[in-house]
Amino acid sequence: MEHKRNDSIQKTQLIVEGQASGEVLVCVEGLSFWGGIDPQTGVIIDAHHPNHGDSVSYKCLLMPTSRGSCSGSGVLLQLALNNLAPAMIIFSEPEQVLTLGSIVCDRIFRISVPIICLSQKNYDAVASERWVDLRDHKLVLANQTINLDPISEDQLVLSEMDHAYLQGEYGSAAKAAMETICVMAAVDNADCLINVNKGHIDGCILAHDANLIFAEKMAQLGAQVAIPTTINAISVDRENWHKSGIDQNFGERASRLADAYVAMGVKPTFTCAPYLLNDKPQFGENIGWSESNAVIFANTVLGARTQKHPDYLDLFISMTGRAPASGIYSTHGREARVKIEVTIPQNWLPDDEIFWPLIGWLSGKLSPDTVPLITGLEYLSTTTDDLKSLCAAFGTTSGAPMLHIRGQTPESDGQADEGLPIKRIDSENLKEAWFELNRGLEKIDLVAIGSPHASIDEIRKIVTLLDGRRCHQHTQIKITTARDTIKLAEAEGLTEKLAAADVQLIPDLCWCSIIEPIFPREAKGLMTNSGKYAHYAHGLSNRHSRLGSLQNCVSAAVSGFAAHELPNWLID
């Protein structure tokens, strides 16, 4: 079933209302608020972003659209609670994550952060200003006034059940959930809602107080999920955090956050790779997931269907089993809009899996807001971990919820590439990407594996690569993974071998949520096999990372050193 979707921005669309004024800050690239902005200061901390060091607080913030993590909605809420939010945010392309955050600010916490979408002409006019006022549905510039049209839900055709939710028959929490879903449907120009079968919750990391405040408020209102729903990695080892040296207050609050979602009926899976669980979505199945890497993998590799739902909207969808019928839920919304031709370096060998996060990271750069079709990889033999790594890295640089890889992913052969704009990946931009993601030190103190959560195959490979050797006395390997994966590793005797090598397996957390002292305070040199973590590491830990294959990572752990040298296959 196809659903109407208009991808064009209405000329002057006021998504979330309010009165505001502020100095104009233009971001020529989209920005992930999570990992890209410090919610305690409002400063842009993404070291790879052109506006690194600028403050978004109190600004009229312009960007084409957001990118990266679904958790940006929670960061916007925390900024608002801290009185550090932008005065208003203006987009020129469709956007969901910050829009949802603003709606939650407005409807649940009564804090106004206006959201506006403009045509390119009007967007450019605002971008040329120094100061902008928003009042009475008008943007007032120095020599021009732009009239804004409030968003309308009149086009939505709702079911009897939808109306029952809106009338409060399922309680105040469910009513608020359905109201928000309908507003987001209007934002997406959807004409109806669809049923979804599974949910995945992302806003469960205690990156800031807003996530805890929101979850406990919803639990107190009696919120309950209506469909099977899993939950992302959290901020503590749920069962053993008391022994980890974490601050008591932080550990208790992080546990309360997890408990709030479990009390709402969410399965305590605590993994950022729910696609590795036994009950993974099936091809063509409509689901309501958050967590950017999970969404991209589900759409791209499994062929399931889900928008990249923002944090908090994921809960609302799980509470109702309904989502806006828009974007990636339709076959039209999944069509490739740009073709990326990859020329594989002649000397590359398949056992150097660093190739995959580099391809993902560059593909996101080349298609920051559209679904790409990647060609040139048709005859390669790929693993689930290769595609997991690619999808996660893609999500750091693109706002698109999926990609197609010719010959590798289930819907790629149905993608027409005639007439598509063409971008290219070759040895030159692969080198540039390698250097961008390898800003860290040569002396390695910490090797971080498991962003997204490590699979059982990755753990097996690490044991094989160690081959009975131990980590260097000043270097640690820490692997974050799901509890189900640890059970498999225990059954195969892998956990004993890892322990003998001084390698630590950590359940429930992932590197996006780890804080000191689990991240050793004294560690300065960092290495990872994850393009996602290499991208976000500096913003999260104030350390630049090195990126390498699992073999590189194990070698660095054993020797305590990783030379800052290009892989042989990238050397001319």
Side-chain angles (χ1 to χ4, degrees):
M1 180 178 179
E2 289 300 300
H3 307 283
K4 182 176 71 177
R5 173 70 164 93
N6 181 1
D7 288 323
S8 63
I9 285 292
Q10 295 182 21
K11 290 186 177 179
T12 55
Q13 198 172 47
L14 181 60
I15 307 295
V16 180
E17 299 189 19
Q19 312 288 324
S21 60
E23 179 185 354
V24 173
L25 174 64
V26 180
C27 292
V28 295
E29 290 184 9
L31 176 65
S32 173
F33 269 41
W34 182 88
I37 293 180
D38 184 344
Q40 306 305 323
T41 65
V43 172
I44 296 174
I45 56 175
D46 181 349
H48 307 280
H49 196 275
N51 292 89
H52 177 247
D54 289 340
S55 172
V56 303
S57 299
Y58 324 122
K59 301 291 176 52
C60 171
L61 178 63
L62 275 72
M63 67 177 82
T65 187
S66 67
R67 74 178 189 197
S69 176
C70 304
S71 298
S73 47
V75 175
L76 181 58
L77 174 57
Q78 185 63 62
L79 287 167
L81 293 172
N82 289 344
N83 194 31
L84 292 171
M88 67 189 92
I89 306 176
I90 299 178
F91 302 108
S92 62
E93 299 170 14
E95 199 282 335
Q96 284 197 333
V97 173
L98 301 179
T99 299
L100 187 279
S102 173
I103 292 169
V104 169
C105 288
D106 180 56
R107 296 199 170 215
I108 297 180
F109 294 91
R110 306 303 178 194
I111 304 172
S112 176
V113 183
I115 301 288
I116 300 164
C117 285
L118 297 178
S119 67
Q120 193 63 52
K121 179 181 178 180
N122 285 329
Y123 181 90
D124 291 342
V126 177
S128 67
E129 296 287 311
R130 188 189 68 82
W131 187 274
V132 172
D133 292 307
L134 169 64
R135 55 177 181 266
D136 301 325
H137 296 181
K138 294 181 177 67
L139 275 177
V140 182
L141 316 185
N143 299 304
Q144 180 183 356
T145 297
I146 301 174
N147 293 316
L148 303 174
D149 300 321
I151 195 166
S152 171
E153 300 173 32
D154 293 345
Q155 82 279 10
L156 271 178
V157 178
L158 300 176
S159 69
E160 290 185 11
M161 181 71 77
D162 298 334
H163 283 294
Y165 276 112
L166 290 172
Q167 291 163 9
E169 294 183 18
Y170 293 90
S172 60
K175 180 177 185 291
M178 181 56 74
E179 287 174 345
T180 304
I181 291 169
C182 289
V183 174
M184 291 302 291
V187 169
D188 257 3
N189 297 327
D191 56 11
C192 64
L193 308 180
I194 59 168
N195 291 327
V196 297
N197 300 330
K198 294 182 177 73
H200 183 72
I201 300 295
D202 185 39
C204 49
I205 291 175
L206 192 66
H208 42 71
D209 290 336
N211 282 349
L212 176 60
I213 293 168
F214 171 82
E216 290 193 332
K217 187 176 185 69
M218 294 304 298
Q220 289 163 6
L221 289 172
Q224 285 287 305
V225 299
I227 58 175
T229 303
T230 52
I231 189 169
N232 213 42
I234 56 176
S235 294
V236 291
D237 175 343
R238 186 66 189 85
E239 297 177 5
N240 301 297
W241 69 264
H242 304 83
K243 306 173 186 176
S244 66
I246 281 181
D247 175 76
Q248 181 82 11
N249 179 261
F250 179 89
E252 290 174 351
R253 289 187 297 120
S255 296
R256 281 167 47 199
L257 175 55
D259 292 346
Y261 278 109
V262 173
M264 289 186 270
V266 174
K267 298 177 183 178
T269 50
F270 305 136
T271 180
C272 52
Y275 44 81
L276 297 179
L277 298 173
N278 289 330
D279 188 24
K280 62 187 177 185
Q282 301 302 303
F283 182 86
E285 183 178 9
N286 289 333
I287 60 176
W289 277 16
S290 191
E291 183 9 88
S292 60
N293 101 83
V295 166
I296 295 166
F297 189 97
N299 283 312
T300 300
V301 182
L302 301 182
R305 298 191 169 201
T306 178
Q307 288 283 78
K308 190 171 75 172
H309 294 299
D311 287 10
Y312 309 153
L313 185 62
D314 49 12
L315 175 62
F316 298 154
I317 290 171
S318 289
M319 289 169 62
T320 60
R322 301 283 276 169
S326 61
I328 298 297
Y329 285 117
S330 73
T331 300
H332 172 70
R334 302 171 75 84
E335 291 176 356
R337 308 292 180 183
V338 62
K339 179 181 178 181
I340 299 176
E341 296 179 345
V342 178
T343 300
I344 301 171
Q346 185 175 0
N347 295 324
W348 175 72
L349 297 175
D351 62 350
D352 192 348
E353 69 270 15
I354 191 179
F355 175 77
W356 299 104
L358 292 177
I359 292 293
W361 193 84
L362 280 172
S363 296
K365 281 278 192 182
L366 296 173
S367 54
D369 49 22
T370 55
V371 175
L373 170 65
I374 300 176
T375 65
L377 309 179
E378 289 86 342
Y379 302 107
L380 297 184
S381 177
T382 59
T383 67
T384 296
D385 291 319
D386 294 334
L387 297 175
K388 173 167 74 87
S389 179
L390 186 153
C391 288
F394 176 80
T396 66
T397 50
S398 179
M402 72 176 299
L403 62 154
H404 300 286
I405 308 172
R406 180 79 80 200
Q408 301 290 347
T409 57
E411 297 170 77
S412 62
D413 289 341
Q415 299 301 310
D417 57 6
E418 289 185 13
L420 292 181
I422 296 176
K423 305 291 180 69
R424 291 179 172 85
I425 293 177
D426 55 24
S427 293
E428 289 308 307
N429 51 9
L430 282 166
K431 287 180 191 176
E432 292 171 4
W434 188 91
F435 280 113
E436 186 68 19
L437 296 174
N438 271 276
R439 298 188 184 188
L441 304 174
E442 290 190 321
K443 181 181 180 296
I444 304 300
D445 304 306
L446 175 65
V447 175
I449 306 295
S451 178
H453 270 170
S455 69
I456 187 63
D457 286 338
E458 288 176 302
I459 292 172
R460 289 171 182 146
K461 185 171 183 178
I462 290 168
V463 170
T464 299
L465 289 168
L466 283 166
D467 193 25
R469 296 176 296 172
R470 299 177 62 134
C471 292
H472 187 275
Q473 60 179 336
H474 299 303
T475 306
Q476 301 179 55
I477 299 182
K478 297 196 177 192
I479 304 172
T480 58
T481 191
R483 287 190 177 273
D484 285 355
T485 304
I486 290 178
K487 289 178 182 177
L488 290 174
E490 289 173 344
E492 295 181 21
L494 302 176
T495 53
E496 291 181 6
K497 294 178 180 179
L498 290 172
D502 295 327
V503 176
Q504 185 177 0
L505 273 179
I506 306 175
D508 303 341
L509 297 87
C510 80
W511 287 99
C512 297
S513 64
I514 284 180
I515 62 169
E516 296 177 353
I518 297 175
F519 191 117
R521 293 185 177 93
E522 68 279 5
K524 304 300 180 187
L526 174 65
M527 190 164 194
T528 183
N529 69 326
S530 165
K532 176 179 181 178
Y533 191 54
H535 179 93
Y536 286 128
H538 187 267
L540 296 173
S541 70
N542 202 33
R543 286 98 159 168
H544 285 297
S545 181
R546 299 293 306 283
L547 174 66
S549 65
L550 279 180
Q551 182 173 351
N552 298 147
C553 288
V554 169
S555 295
V558 170
S559 68
F561 181 82
H564 198 269
E565 297 175 352
L566 281 167
N568 290 334
W569 52 273
L570 283 178
I571 298 174
D572 294 330

